[in-house]
Amino acid sequence: MTPQSPGGPGSRYPYHRHVPASSLLNRLSHSSTTLVRALALAVLVTQVLISVTGSVVRVTGSGLGCPTWPRCFPGSMVPISHPEVSTLHQIIEFGNRTLTGLVGFVALACLLAAWWYRPYRPRLVRLALVMPIGVIVQAVIGGMTVLVDLRWWSVSIHFLASAVLIWLATLLVKVAGEGDEPARPVVPQRMRRLLVALTAVAVGMLVAGTLVTAAGPHAGDAETPRLPLPIPALVQVHGLLVMAYLCLLAVFGVWLRNTRPTKALLRAYGATCVVVLAQGVLGSVQYLFGVPEAMVVLHVLGATLVIITVAFLWGESRYRGDLPRSRPATATPDTATVGS
């Protein structure tokens, strides 16, 4: 008698069928739309979080809580008891450094999810790839800042690098929720030019803000030299740029009424107006009260929100079609269940 095959009717396992590993991997490797969008948002949140905690390091004078890099102290990666460095400063600075690992992990997870999304989306993958690379670059800049004893220019570069990453993370969130068609403008050409001017002035506001901070009292360490420029003059420049931004924003809003904007663009414009006005008020109150530590942290948070809203305003001025839905893996004939 001919012996029964392993999967035949006489087998102890009549419904057993071997599933090739490549087919199983194909099923597992497809990212969902929800997962990609959630991870993109997580990238943005962690970028904001590390910028805000960086301001906490600065206003508490904890910038040299870990005086070396990449180690916290010579011969130790973690804080140790030291007569010249307080335990609190060590915890704050080391906590900020540790958070970099979380930011990098989230960025890498987002990159993998974007890479395995089907259909493959090159724009999404490119933006996702920038994020872990940016985390590495930002970590190196942070190390350089410690090694030069928190010189004002290094701290300014450190924050501006974070601003760039927050802008790109915002665009990543936008791309994760839109299509891949060629960009079609939502507003006329003159409004697109005005949007370029708005973005340029926003960059000027951020740079001027870092210079005010560089000349101000919160250096991250009491012994760090400050930018030798008069603070009132720097504040005036910063304030004038804020006023210029608000004027351009008002003109953009007037022109927006004569177009047919999308609801997303209207929401982005409204959010930008609210955030910039609130940030301007907060900055004025902060200056009048002698830049108290808590208000400095809130002002840095406000700066990150300004970057986000401006980036969304930029992104929503273009339309790239609806989001392509993730394509599920299809079962191949050799994965079908025998006897079904």
Side-chain angles (χ1 to χ4, degrees):
M1 180 181 295
T2 304
Q4 296 288 340
S5 63
S11 171
R12 294 176 58 191
Y13 308 102
Y15 300 108
H16 172 74
R17 178 70 170 172
H18 175 66
V19 179
S22 60
S23 177
L24 180 61
L25 180 61
N26 186 50
R27 288 174 177 268
L28 294 177
S29 65
H30 283 213
S31 303
S32 70
T33 300
T34 302
L35 176 63
V36 173
R37 297 182 72 175
L39 286 173
L41 182 59
V43 169
L44 177 58
V45 171
T46 53
Q47 286 292 342
V48 170
L49 183 60
I50 198 166
S51 297
V52 173
T53 57
S55 70
V56 174
V57 171
R58 193 172 69 243
V59 300
T60 58
S62 305
L64 295 179
C66 286
T68 63
W69 187 86
R71 300 177 184 271
C72 185
F73 284 89
S76 176
M77 294 295 295
V78 298
I80 58 176
S81 179
H82 196 284
E84 297 181 3
V85 184
S86 75
T87 301
L88 179 60
H89 288 171
Q90 291 186 45
I91 292 174
I92 293 174
E93 166 62 10
F94 185 73
N96 183 251
R97 291 190 183 190
T98 304
L99 185 58
T100 302
L102 174 63
V103 177
F105 175 80
V106 172
L108 183 59
C110 185
L111 172 61
L112 293 176
W115 181 271
W116 284 329
Y117 187 89
R118 293 297 179 270
Y120 183 77
R121 303 184 60 199
R123 282 182 65 239
L124 179 66
V125 172
R126 285 196 299 268
L127 263 178
L129 176 61
V130 169
M131 302 316 300
I133 294 175
V135 172
I136 295 172
V137 172
Q138 182 70 316
V140 173
I141 295 174
M144 177 195 71
T145 302
V146 172
L147 296 177
V148 298
D149 295 328
L150 310 181
R151 291 292 190 270
W152 67 266
W153 52 267
S154 65
V155 175
S156 296
I157 293 173
H158 200 27
F159 176 75
L160 292 175
S162 289
V164 172
L165 290 177
I166 291 171
W167 173 281
L168 293 174
T170 305
L171 295 183
L172 177 61
V173 172
K174 179 70 172 64
V175 170
E178 67 180 3
D180 296 311
E181 299 174 7
R184 293 179 301 220
V186 175
V187 296
Q189 185 176 10
R190 63 173 183 172
M191 293 184 68
R192 296 201 300 274
R193 290 173 179 171
L194 181 58
L195 195 55
V196 172
L198 276 167
T199 305
V201 175
V203 172
M205 287 193 305
L206 288 172
V207 173
T210 62
L211 295 180
V212 173
T213 301
H218 302 297
D221 186 77
E223 305 298 324
T224 299
R226 311 308 292 135
L227 173 64
L229 291 176
I231 295 178
L234 293 172
V235 170
Q236 287 180 356
V237 172
H238 184 56
L240 287 173
L241 286 169
V242 173
M243 292 176 62
Y245 188 86
L246 288 172
C247 289
L248 292 174
L249 200 59
V251 174
F252 189 87
V254 172
W255 288 356
L256 197 60
R257 296 179 59 186
N258 299 323
T259 64
R260 293 182 178 178
T262 61
K263 291 182 179 179
L265 179 58
L266 287 175
R267 287 195 298 267
Y269 177 75
T272 303
C273 291
V274 171
V275 169
V276 174
L277 283 170
Q279 180 73 336
V281 171
L282 179 60
S284 299
V285 174
Q286 172 190 248
Y287 181 67
L288 291 175
F289 281 86
V291 288
E293 288 82 356
M295 295 193 74
V296 171
V297 175
L298 288 176
H299 200 52
V300 171
L301 174 60
T304 64
L305 296 179
V306 168
I307 297 167
I308 291 170
T309 54
V310 173
F312 269 124
L313 187 61
W314 177 277
E316 295 297 350
S317 68
R318 296 158 176 79
Y319 179 69
R320 291 182 177 270
D322 295 330
L323 174 69
R325 295 297 175 183
S326 57
R327 187 171 60 223
T330 56
T332 56
D334 64 344
T335 62
T337 303
V338 175
S340 58

